[in-house]
Amino acid sequence: QVQLVESGGGLVQAGGSLRLSCTLSGATFSVYTMGWFRQAPGREREFVAGITRNGGSTNYADSVKGRFTISRDNVKKTVYLQMNSLTPEDTAVYYCAAHWGGDLQFQESAYRYWGQGTQVTVSS
């Protein structure tokens, strides 16, 4: 079965950086558009970033533009989220997700497979 496993979360001070990774198993990675979402305590899950199958196109939530970068390595079957200039408002559980298709998607309902999430905590 298809599995997504995230890693790289942790505790970081404001202004710091983290890189999240998400590896897919059980399927051909390159057929999926990949996305990152996050859910802060007491809030709904929200879109963070997406990347198309070949990495040629990306999109970002306005709140992370210029600070976060999504990338992928189809050989390693892994998608990354490089997060710079982190603020306490970035504290959340971060999830990766896979959308079977070549188009960028920001709606949760478009993503079929989800990881278990990794906690990112930014201290002030």
Side-chain angles (χ1 to χ4, degrees):
Q1 69 277 21
V2 177
Q3 284 191 314
L4 293 169
V5 178
E6 301 101 334
S7 61
L11 174 65
V12 64
Q13 289 189 329
S17 299
L18 281 175
R19 188 175 83 153
L20 306 182
S21 300
C22 171
T23 300
L24 182 144
S25 61
T28 302
F29 182 68
S30 59
V31 304
Y32 293 100
T33 286
M34 299 299 296
W36 285 98
F37 290 76
R38 67 185 181 186
Q39 186 167 22
R43 301 185 66 174
E44 293 185 353
R45 189 156 56 184
E46 63 176 0
F47 172 80
V48 174
I51 187 167
T52 51
R53 293 166 168 172
N54 63 359
S57 295
T58 59
N59 61 342
Y60 297 91
D62 287 343
S63 59
V64 307
K65 278 181 183 176
R67 301 188 299 121
F68 291 11
T69 302
I70 188 171
S71 61
R72 66 190 294 161
D73 184 330
N74 285 353
V75 173
K76 295 182 178 179
K77 304 176 79 170
T78 299
V79 61
Y80 305 97
L81 185 68
Q82 177 67 45
M83 305 186 295
N84 298 329
S85 302
L86 286 162
T87 74
E89 289 68 39
D90 295 314
T91 295
V93 177
Y94 283 72
Y95 300 89
C96 70
H99 160 64
W100 196 94
D103 52 329
L104 289 169
Q105 294 284 342
F106 62 89
Q107 293 181 321
E108 285 188 54
S109 58
Y111 290 82
R112 180 173 182 180
Y113 300 108
W114 292 81
Q116 82 289 350
T118 186
Q119 176 70 47
V120 171
T121 303
V122 184
S123 63
S124 57

